[in-house]
Amino acid sequence: MNELNQLASVIIPTKNGGDIFKKVLVEVLNQDLGAPFEIVIVDSGSSDGTVVFIQDMQKQNENIVLKQIMPKEFGHGKTRNLGASLASGKYLVFITQDALPYDQFWLKNLVSCFDLDEDIVGVFGRHLPYDDCDIFEKHNIITHFNNFGAETTIYYLDDQERYNREEGYRHLLCYYSDNSSAMRKKIWDIIPYPEVDFAEDQLWARQIIERGYKKAYSPQSVVYHSHNYTFKQQFKRYYDEYKGLYRIYNYTSVKSVFLLPAYIAKHFISDVRFLRHNTNISRKRKLYWAAYSLVKNTIRYSGAYLGVLGNKYTSLNRLFSREYKLINK
């Protein structure tokens, strides 16, 4: 571990990161923080040359720390906590191996938010979709992060009754993404990540919000992050996502299996309207994306329904959960 006192420690869990991780690491190294920072990488069994690449980069950069663990030791919260335990920075910055900083000020724009208020203990940044992201997901990602504000915004629990009553308000206060985020090291000492198989970031945010701390959103701190999943991968992702949302908020997207067609149809119609108003797409491509929407929404709401059931019938996780398989290899 680096013995120097660092302002920030950037923690990156890796496994078979490929070419995108190489770009991510180079961009992180090129950050203009204006103060010392280190990079702590925890690799859980890469076999694609990721470790060799990191070791080569270590020869050129003494601020890189590498910790290797067995695949069976990986856990989303557990591995990030391990990285945090190895870190010497005042601030713990988390980024995933496929989240590419937009510019050289990604890191600075995250950690500078802590200077705004001593009660801010967590900060998350904005995501932009990659070019290969599907048209609907691109729209969703951009709209989702726009909802948090065009300027740096501080969130905290200021209305307990509303928090108890409104699901949307709870989502707003507790949303957090460790694809690109930062926390004070001293708060991690008190409230580490929950060691769960999914949604460790939002569970952590719920804890700090309910204990009276604040979080901030920095739209100036930007990463490219999205996925180009197959339909099978999308189903598993939605299964895990909605299983996690139920655990955090007691949120059930699909109230009954008999309502599945209605949910699918409603979202499909919304997507068709979006396509109709998009003048940059040819008619042929609109037909393609309409068909894609029908399949995607069938997958989404089926995964959402089964994901909630997965909290009760854990045997479903062996069949449908991507995260269960990753952790139990």
Side-chain angles (χ1 to χ4, degrees), residues 158-291:
D158 60 348
D159 188 335
Q160 185 67 55
E161 192 278 330
R162 183 186 176 194
Y163 183 81
N164 294 338
R165 182 185 73 250
E166 290 186 23
E167 187 175 275
Y169 184 58
R170 291 196 299 273
H171 282 215
L172 181 68
L173 291 188
C174 297
Y175 177 81
Y176 196 74
S177 173
D178 57 23
N179 290 317
S180 174
S181 67
M183 68 173 71
R184 296 184 189 269
K185 178 75 177 291
K186 66 181 183 181
I187 198 67
W188 177 83
D189 292 331
I190 303 169
I191 310 174
Y193 274 124
E195 296 193 356
V196 293
D197 58 359
F198 196 74
E200 75 293 334
D201 42 9
Q202 295 194 63
L203 283 167
W204 181 83
R206 178 176 178 175
Q207 290 184 62
I208 62 109
I209 288 293
E210 292 182 351
R211 294 195 194 189
Y213 296 106
K214 299 176 182 179
K215 73 172 186 181
Y217 168 60
S218 175
Q220 295 81 25
S221 178
V222 183
V223 295
Y224 288 104
H225 186 263
S226 60
H227 297 286
N228 187 18
Y229 287 138
T230 65
F231 286 135
K232 181 179 180 181
Q233 290 170 330
Q234 286 184 41
F235 174 82
K236 291 178 180 292
R237 185 71 179 182
Y238 284 128
Y239 178 91
D240 286 323
E241 179 180 342
Y242 284 93
K243 181 162 68 75
L245 288 173
Y246 181 82
R247 183 182 302 160
I248 302 167
Y249 309 111
N250 200 32
Y251 174 64
T252 303
S253 174
V254 181
K255 310 302 181 185
S256 165
V257 67
F258 299 108
L259 294 175
L260 263 176
Y263 284 101
I264 295 166
K266 182 178 179 180
H267 204 142
F268 171 71
I269 291 169
S270 176
D271 285 346
V272 169
R273 286 174 179 162
F274 167 71
L275 291 172
R276 186 182 300 156
H277 289 93
N278 194 322
T279 58
N280 297 320
I281 307 174
S282 68
R283 185 172 183 276
K284 182 177 180 181
R285 293 299 291 172
K286 286 181 179 181
L287 290 172
Y288 166 83
W289 284 117

Side-chain angles (χ1 to χ4, degrees), residues 96-115:
T96 50
Q97 66 180 11
D98 58 350
L100 183 67
Y102 176 79
D103 59 22
Q104 68 195 80
F105 301 110
W106 158 76
L107 180 56
K108 185 175 184 178
N109 287 332
L110 269 183
V111 301
S112 63
C113 291
F114 292 112
D115 296 332

Side-chain angles (χ1 to χ4, degrees), residues 133-144:
C133 183
D134 79 66
I135 191 172
F136 303 113
E137 195 62 23
K138 280 185 180 180
H139 178 69
N140 290 339
I141 290 171
I142 292 169
T143 301
H144 175 76

Side-chain angles (χ1 to χ4, degrees), residues 10 12 21-35 37-39 53 57 60-61 63-64 95 100-108:
V10 181
I12 315 176
F21 166 68
K22 294 177 182 179
K23 295 178 182 178
V24 168
L25 183 54
V26 169
E27 288 301 317
V28 173
L29 285 165
N30 287 335
Q31 290 300 297
D32 183 5
L33 181 59
F37 69 94
E38 65 181 354
I39 302 169
F53 173 74
M57 296 298 285
Q60 307 167 44
N61 302 273
N63 62 330
I64 297 177
I95 188 171
L100 183 67
Y102 176 79
D103 59 22
Q104 68 195 80
F105 301 110
W106 158 76
L107 180 56
K108 185 175 184 178

